[in-house]
Each structure stands twice: as C-alpha cells, then as structure tokens.
Amino acid sequence: GCGMTGKLDGKVCIVTGAAGSLGLASTDAFLAEGAKVLLVDRDEVPLAAAGKTLARYEGRFALCAADVSDAV
C-alpha cells in the first residue's frame, strides 16, 4: 500500500536515535519496505513507546536500549 515496493525485503536495518521523530519515521519507512529493524536509543521509556507505535509490524523489529555515542 501507499506506493511501497518491498525494496528492502530480506534486509536488516539498524536505526540509532530510533525513539526520536526522525528515527521513528525512518524505522516506519524501512519496515513498510519489508526490512527487519533494530531500533537503538539510549532512553528506554521513549524507546518502549516507539515499539508500541510500531506494533503493527510485530515480529519484524527489536528494541535495544544503548548509548552508542562513544562506541567508536
């Protein structure tokens, strides 16, 4: 629906800052295109809320509370 083509079928995306508006919009678009997504955010409460927002994609995403700002 809505012009989505499944371009990302079989792909896995990792989205950092996933609980923010840009991260959530990106995640929604990736899921709509068929990807599986790992949502990463340092704030657990907004991350859990993002998971509830994306409930229609249950089984196609996972949540991970982590701060990757100093990971590299």
Side-chain angles (χ1 to χ4, degrees):
C2 297
M4 297 301 170
T5 61
K7 291 184 213 176
L8 298 177
D9 285 344
K11 303 293 183 184
V12 176
C13 300
I14 300 171
V15 178
T16 59
S21 58
L22 183 59
L24 188 57
S26 298
T27 297
D28 190 76
F30 294 152
L31 288 164
E33 287 289 354
K36 293 183 178 180
V37 181
L38 175 62
L39 290 81
V40 182
D41 201 282
R42 64 182 171 192
D43 297 318
E44 291 183 39
V45 172
L47 183 61
K52 289 179 183 176
T53 299
L54 299 167
R56 67 188 174 279
Y57 298 112
E58 187 174 350
R60 297 202 18 239
F61 68 89
L63 307 176
C64 178
D67 184 351
V68 298
S69 61
D70 292 327
V72 181

